[in-house]
Amino acid sequence: MVRRNEIRNVAIIAHVDHGKTSLVDCMLRQSGRFRQSELVGEQILDSNELERERGITILSKNIAIPYKDVRINIIDTPGHADFGGEVERVLRMADGALVLVDAAEGPLPQTRFVLSKAFACGLKPIVVVSKIDRPDARPHEVLDETLELFLQLGADDLLADFPYLFTSAKLGYATTDLNKPTDGIEALMDMILAKIPGPEVDVGEPLQMLVTTLDWSDYVGRIAIGRVQSGTVRKGQNVVLMQSDNRITPAKVVSVHVFEDLGRQEVHEVDAGDICALVGLEGVEIGDTVAAPQSPRALPRLKVDEPTLKMTFGVNTSPLAGREGKYLTSRHLRERLFRELERNVALRVEPIVGTEQFAVSGRGVLHLSILIETMRREGYELSVGKPQVIFHEVDGKQHEPFETLVVEAPADRTGPVMELVGERRAQLVEMTSHNEYTFMTFSIPARGLIGLRTRLLNATQGTAVIHHRFEGYHPMAEAIPARATGVLVSIASGKAVAFGLDSLQQRAELHVAPGDVVYEGMVVGENSRPDDMNVNPTKEKKLSNMRAVGHDRNILLKPARRMSLEEALEFIAEDELVEVTPTQIRLRKILLKETDRRRANRQAAS
């Protein structure tokens, strides 16, 4: 076995919004490798349109920065719990990890998740206490909390040599001593070289490379990305793909690329221990092993945690279908969903027997809503059902997924938080206070999380910060209260008019505005009472040739409530759907006609 000291493979892992991508920005700016025009703006690696809009990392990214004759391969990972599948597979490429912890918030649920996965892969961690420039920063307390987390995860052997340092990506420096600020990030780079070992490889073994990421190019097709575990891979080399179901597929490497700065550079060959991208492997999938034909041996396939939530995807069947989208049929939907499976390892897609619908399972509402948002921007029209948790049967008893929920709220808002979360069958695990904020940790059924975020934000006037992660399967909790309000359902088709909406806004919150196109069975508002109400938003004022004094008045309408995709998915009931088109998000009943809904209700009651 040989240690390659000219390479470091490092993953950056943390909870969402703890500063991973900002720290990478700082490293890029101080590397001296780029012109100012090449590093415009912030979150440089978040190049995806949705990542820019939402301010979160969704897809893992690979870059390489040379430092003191060493190439540091950096893997930036998502921090949100719903994208844990991205983190689990790319950690197989790294030898060490930078574990970022916010200097004010401390370790949060996703910190525990990614750290446990890093330990399972045998990575050497460096704890980076970030955002020390925050006015409410408490870096030493956070460092102690991280030590406690190491103990809880059984990493006792790492405590004797516990590398850590403090950073401020905003001010652009890293230091091992808070009382001695530096003028650059060199302390972090030096610690990476000193504390994270280079890859240990067996140069005499035949080729083995596990494919952990797939990229796509319109010119060359699929690009397989992974770390070469042993041997050498060359341009033009004949290889075999060790695929699922013990399939062995011959293939040929058309070109080999290594990561350099923000892009990739073509090279003739790559040796064991390096991260590379291979072009020309048709039919390659995530989890496949690229091996030598003379001695094909497969590496253990990637295993990620199972999905906890599912939704029903189907074609758009509303009267307005086909007006905006380019891909409308179930064939288009099937092809797109199964194509997503190639690179999204945490997703599951199953056709529903006897229908043209698909059960799509993922890690959470955000995980699936990102897929829906991507599809609508590509020109797809579809209808999506209410999110449902996935139950398991253990020892003959029904078990459901539970999540660890952390709510940060002002101290005077803890009462409404406790009341709302208590209704969802949550159990309080821990409560701590920092300055004027209270941190509450709950164990809650995943069912109880659906629709909870919006209600918590309303109850705390937008001041609550909410995080959650998968905890495990436990026996079924008691029934959770359904939506407390009914909806307004249109009984007419046409354009909504101000006169018809004016009479409705006294008893409901409207989802449509004058001029919006509505149809029979479409949800146009939220009722103030628990039952649904059939209304006519297209009703116009009757005209006559006589004018009566006092009957004319100005109509003042409150602005319509426009829901985001996540809000709509959490709002709908069992008998409702979200209609998604490239420009619109509408709510509707599954059965559009009032007579059909009444018949279904009578049958359900009997």
Side-chain angles (χ1 to χ4, degrees):
M1 302 293 288
V2 178
R3 179 82 64 184
R4 293 192 63 187
N5 291 316
E6 75 279 13
I7 296 175
R8 297 292 188 276
N9 298 321
V10 186
I12 301 185
I13 57 179
H15 190 87
V16 64
D17 203 30
H18 276 199
K20 297 179 302 300
T21 309
S22 298
L23 182 65
V24 175
D25 286 357
C26 188
M27 296 168 75
L28 290 171
R29 294 183 194 283
Q30 295 191 24
S31 66
R33 302 277 299 178
F34 305 95
R35 297 187 303 272
Q36 191 65 32
S37 59
E38 293 180 273
L39 303 176
V40 179
E42 298 178 348
Q43 282 75 51
I44 299 163
L45 291 192
D46 287 347
S47 54
N48 183 289
E49 184 180 356
L50 280 173
E51 292 178 322
R52 288 284 186 185
E53 289 178 12
R54 295 169 182 257
I56 59 174
T57 301
I58 297 172
L59 303 171
S60 60
K61 316 287 192 316
N62 295 72
I63 61 168
I65 299 177
Y67 180 72
K68 294 184 177 179
D69 298 326
V70 176
R71 183 165 74 251
I72 302 176
N73 290 315
I74 296 175
I75 308 162
D76 185 22
T77 63
H80 200 285
D82 283 22
F83 307 112
E86 288 279 317
V87 180
E88 290 177 69
R89 58 185 173 84
V90 298
L91 288 182
R92 296 281 290 271
M93 293 192 289
D95 297 296
L98 299 182
V99 183
L100 264 69
V101 187
D102 190 292
E105 296 180 358
L108 287 177
Q110 185 69 357
T111 312
R112 173 185 290 270
F113 171 80
V114 294
L115 198 52
S116 64
K117 296 298 180 184
F119 289 155
C121 293
L123 305 189
K124 301 293 185 184
I126 295 177
V127 175
V128 180
V129 181
S130 65
K131 301 188 181 181
I132 58 174
D133 55 293
R134 285 182 57 161
D136 56 345
R138 46 187 190 94
H140 290 298
E141 291 180 46
V142 165
L143 195 60
D144 291 341
E145 292 173 7
T146 309
L147 271 169
E148 291 178 16
L149 182 58
F150 271 56
L151 281 169
Q152 293 171 14
L153 294 175
D156 305 10
D157 54 324
L158 296 173
L159 298 182
D161 183 18
F162 181 71
Y164 66 88
L165 78 169
F166 307 95
T167 66
S168 169
K170 184 178 179 181
L171 301 179
Y173 76 90
T175 179
T176 55
D177 188 346
L178 283 173
N179 298 319
K180 297 178 181 177
T182 62
D183 56 0
I185 207 82
E186 289 81 8
L188 174 61
M189 307 295 279
D190 290 336
M191 187 170 284
I192 290 174
L193 299 191
K195 297 298 183 180
I196 295 179
E200 194 174 42
V201 298
D202 192 338
V203 292
E205 290 293 313
L207 170 65
Q208 278 185 310
M209 180 186 122
L210 183 67
V211 179
T212 55
T213 306
L214 282 183
D215 201 355
W216 172 264
S217 167
D218 291 334
Y219 301 101
V220 298
R222 294 189 190 185
I223 301 172
I225 299 172
R227 171 178 161 177
V228 182
Q229 298 291 338
S230 61
T232 301
V233 59
R234 300 180 181 84
K235 179 179 180 180
Q237 180 177 344
N238 291 317
V239 297
V240 293
L241 300 178
M242 312 295 292
Q243 301 189 290
S244 57
D245 302 326
N246 297 319
R247 288 179 293 130
I248 300 178
T249 307
K252 184 176 182 179
V253 178
V254 174
S255 61
V256 181
H257 300 255
V258 294
F259 291 91
E260 183 169 316
D261 299 334
L262 292 175
R264 294 194 285 256
Q265 180 184 23
E266 185 173 354
V267 294
H268 179 69
E269 67 177 29
V270 169
D271 294 322
D274 213 339
I275 296 173
C276 67
L278 304 182
V279 175
L281 307 180
E282 294 184 10
V284 65
E285 298 175 355
I286 290 176
D288 290 354
T289 299
V290 180
Q294 298 81 8
S295 56
R297 293 181 302 158
L299 292 165
R301 289 191 72 85
L302 287 167
K303 291 183 180 179
V304 298
D305 290 345
E306 291 295 313
T308 58
L309 201 73
K310 66 179 178 182
M311 299 182 194
T312 301
F313 284 41
V315 295
N316 184 13
T317 57
S318 85
L320 303 180
R323 296 192 180 188
E324 302 170 9
K326 187 164 55 170
Y327 306 108
L328 311 171
T329 65
S330 58
R331 178 178 62 84
H332 289 137
L333 189 60
R334 170 188 287 272
E335 290 174 354
R336 178 62 180 84
L337 290 175
F338 280 94
R339 190 165 73 245
E340 184 70 19
L341 289 177
E342 295 176 0
R343 62 175 64 188
N344 197 336
V345 294
L347 199 72
R348 303 286 185 274
V349 177
E350 297 177 9
I352 299 177
V353 179
T355 70
E356 293 186 345
Q357 298 177 324
F358 302 87
V360 182
S361 306
R363 289 287 183 85
V365 173
L366 182 62
H367 182 203
L368 295 175
S369 69
I370 290 292
L371 169 60
I372 298 169
E373 183 67 33
T374 304
M375 290 174 64
R376 71 182 285 229
R377 296 186 183 202
E378 293 173 357
Y380 287 84
E381 286 192 17
L382 64 153
S383 58
V384 186
K386 182 178 177 61
Q388 305 280 352
V389 299
I390 299 173
F391 299 104
H392 284 181
E393 191 170 308
V394 180
D395 297 330
K397 294 183 179 179
Q398 191 87 317
H399 282 54
E400 67 174 324
F402 274 66
E403 306 239 350
T404 298
L405 171 69
V406 176
V407 182
E408 175 190 354
D412 59 345
R413 302 285 178 186
T414 56
V417 171
M418 297 287 283
E419 182 182 352
L420 281 172
V421 177
E423 290 176 357
R424 305 298 183 101
R425 312 305 178 197
Q427 298 292 325
L428 181 65
V429 176
E430 184 182 7
M431 179 185 288
T432 57
S433 296
H434 302 311
N435 299 327
E436 299 175 357
Y437 282 82
T438 301
F439 288 77
M440 292 159 280
T441 304
F442 302 91
S443 177
I444 184 172
R447 287 180 296 147
L449 284 175
I450 299 174
L452 180 62
R453 179 180 295 272
T454 303
R455 296 188 67 187
L456 282 176
L457 290 175
N458 290 339
T460 60
Q461 298 180 339
T463 56
V465 179
I466 304 144
H467 304 292
H468 61 88
R469 75 167 183 89
F470 177 66
E471 178 184 307
Y473 275 84
H474 302 302
M476 283 276 294
E478 297 178 21
I480 292 174
R483 188 178 64 197
T485 57
V487 291
L488 306 185
V489 186
S490 175
I491 58 172
S493 300
K495 286 189 176 182
V497 295
F499 181 79
L501 297 176
D502 182 44
S503 59
L504 302 178
Q505 71 172 352
Q506 308 300 325
R507 65 192 83 179
E509 184 178 26
L510 297 177
H511 293 171
V512 296
D516 288 351
V517 178
V518 300
Y519 54 82
E520 183 181 3
M522 178 175 163
V523 174
V524 296
E526 182 179 358
N527 196 3
S528 57
R529 296 183 178 181
D531 54 335
D532 295 345
M533 184 166 61
N534 296 309
V535 299
N536 182 6
T538 66
K539 180 181 177 183
E540 296 183 345
K541 185 176 181 180
K542 292 183 178 179
L543 302 178
S544 69
N545 57 356
M546 301 293 291
R547 178 175 297 176
V549 178
H551 282 262
D552 289 335
R553 64 182 181 86
N554 287 332
I555 295 176
L556 299 176
L557 292 175
K558 292 182 290 186
R561 179 188 175 192
R562 304 294 189 184
M563 289 188 177
S564 67
L565 180 57
E566 286 88 358
E567 289 173 337
L569 291 171
E570 293 183 341
F571 176 81
I572 58 174
E574 300 284 350
D575 63 337
E576 295 164 3
L577 296 173
V578 178
E579 177 191 348
V580 181
T581 72
T583 62
Q584 298 290 330
I585 295 174
R586 303 184 183 95
L587 308 184
R588 51 161 286 189
K589 291 290 184 180
I590 295 176
L591 301 175
L592 297 179
K593 292 189 176 294
E594 181 184 357
T595 53
D596 294 340
R597 293 196 297 275
R598 286 180 177 175
R599 187 181 302 116
N601 290 336
R602 285 197 300 269
Q603 291 175 352
S606 60

